[in-house]
Amino acid sequence: ERAKEKTMMAAQGLTEKPVVLTYSNVEVSLRLADIGAKIDWEDAVNQAYLLGKNGSVFLRCKDILAARLMGTAVYPTISYDEEKLNQHLASLQKKIKTPVKEATYREEDGFIVVTAGEKGEVIDREQLMHDLLDALLSGTQEPVALATKKESPHSGLSLWNLLITGWPEPCRPRPFR
């Protein structure tokens, strides 16, 4: 309980402090309160308490020694409003050079034309939350570089799926040449 109280007092007002996010020379100021973020500090205290209490004796000793010598980052669970975050990151999302391209299909002259989707970069939201917390807790005034990750198309569209499920509209099949 004392650890939770100390953590809560140290983190008071944290959601009101602005952090500048940057990507490709575009900067956006963001406060955790702007996206309706709620930080579960009790979860972080529980994670810290469990450090060195799982696994074999050797693994526990290694975890405790590593935490003492190098420190260990424990991140609380953060919940936020996805829609509000999307609104704040819209200008940065537009600057991402390779967005995910979903697969498409169409009928053309009686043939089915399938265009494959392409992997692209998206904002790594989990890393973003960790970076925001790090910046807020350290008190740095430096802009936080927006982390991205590679992502595959979500449509699941493929020629195989079309063969199994069938074409959604009637089309005039032609014999192969």
Side-chain angles (χ1 to χ4, degrees):
E1 274 309 300
R2 283 190 19 226
K4 183 182 171 191
E5 283 177 26
K6 283 186 173 186
T7 304
M8 295 290 285
M9 288 180 69
Q12 204 165 22
L14 204 60
T15 58
E16 298 299 325
K17 293 180 181 176
V19 175
V20 176
L21 299 173
T22 182
Y23 185 85
S24 268
N25 298 325
V26 176
E27 292 186 348
V28 172
S29 181
L30 177 71
R31 295 177 317 138
L32 289 177
D34 293 340
I35 59 171
K38 292 182 177 46
I39 304 171
D40 186 359
W41 292 108
E42 188 172 339
D43 176 53
V45 170
N46 289 338
Q47 286 180 44
Y49 177 74
L50 291 174
L51 186 67
K53 295 194 172 155
N54 293 328
S56 69
V57 172
F58 297 110
L59 186 60
R60 292 191 312 240
C61 290
K62 179 191 95 44
D63 288 347
I64 292 169
L65 187 60
R68 290 222 176 182
L69 295 176
M70 298 178 289
T72 298
V74 176
Y75 291 99
T77 304
I78 303 174
S79 59
Y80 55 89
D81 185 337
E82 192 84 27
E83 187 61 36
K84 288 181 181 178
L85 181 62
N86 288 340
Q87 290 171 357
H88 281 281
L89 298 179
S91 62
L92 294 175
Q93 186 70 42
K94 289 176 189 171
K95 290 291 181 181
I96 292 179
K97 294 173 181 72
T98 54
V100 176
K101 291 183 183 171
E102 297 295 333
T104 60
Y105 60 90
R106 67 184 188 283
E107 178 197 356
E108 192 173 289
D109 296 327
F111 292 98
I112 298 173
V113 179
V114 178
T115 306
E118 295 177 13
K119 287 184 178 182
E121 282 186 274
V122 295
I123 295 171
D124 187 344
R125 291 165 190 271
E126 186 175 333
Q127 186 62 46
L128 171 63
M129 290 300 145
H130 287 182
D131 293 345
L132 283 173
L133 270 181
D134 284 343
L136 290 169
L137 291 172
S138 68
T140 183
Q141 299 299 316
E142 295 293 315
V144 174
L146 190 66
T148 59
K149 63 181 179 180
K150 293 279 187 192
E151 193 168 282
S152 297
H154 301 290
S155 66
L157 177 66
S158 67
L159 187 55
W160 179 250
N161 287 347
L162 284 175
L163 291 173
I164 292 173
T165 61
W167 184 253
E169 307 159 2
C171 70
R172 304 177 314 275
R174 287 188 174 173
F176 289 105
R177 300 177 203 181

